[in-house]
Amino acid sequence: QTWLVSQPNDALAWQWLASLYAAKNQNLRALRAEAEVRVAQLDYAGALDRLNAGEERLRAPGASNSSADHIDASIIDTRRRQIEVLLKEQAKEP
């Protein structure tokens, strides 16, 4: 995590972190990390897909409402909005 603060475009590090989160059953964090992999690869549509999957998981029946999930949900929502802007900008490029 510390590495990614200074190297946010390191797709391999994000993928590794996503795998660790999944192994720890931290599914929202894993989905967000998977989205960051896509952002690092400039695949904004793929990133939105992962973030939308995270939001759907939050709305699913029986979803946890822990404070950690609330924080992750806020991060996911913010990143989704940021990436939507990037996707629109990418679509404008010739």
Side-chain angles (χ1 to χ4, degrees):
Q1 289 174 325
T2 303
W3 170 262
L4 288 167
V5 169
S6 63
Q7 304 294 323
N9 294 323
D10 188 339
L12 186 59
W14 279 113
Q15 186 61 53
W16 186 70
L17 188 59
S19 297
L20 289 174
Y21 285 146
K24 293 174 68 176
N25 205 30
Q26 295 179 347
N27 298 320
L28 286 177
R29 290 181 181 181
L31 286 167
R32 189 247 167 157
E34 289 172 7
E36 297 297 347
V37 170
R38 304 302 193 285
V39 170
Q41 297 169 337
L42 304 179
D43 176 12
Y44 302 131
L48 280 178
D49 177 67
R50 298 289 75 216
L51 294 172
N52 288 334
E55 289 181 333
E56 287 175 20
R57 184 175 294 253
L58 283 166
R59 290 189 294 263
S64 166
N65 287 324
S66 70
S67 60
D69 284 346
H70 178 69
I71 291 168
D72 289 331
S74 296
I75 293 169
I76 286 171
D77 180 58
T78 299
R79 286 300 284 155
R80 182 186 48 77
R81 285 186 269 133
Q82 291 170 338
I83 293 166
E84 284 174 345
V85 170
L86 292 172
L87 186 60
K88 288 177 185 175
E89 289 174 4
Q90 188 180 52
K92 290 179 185 176
E93 294 177 5

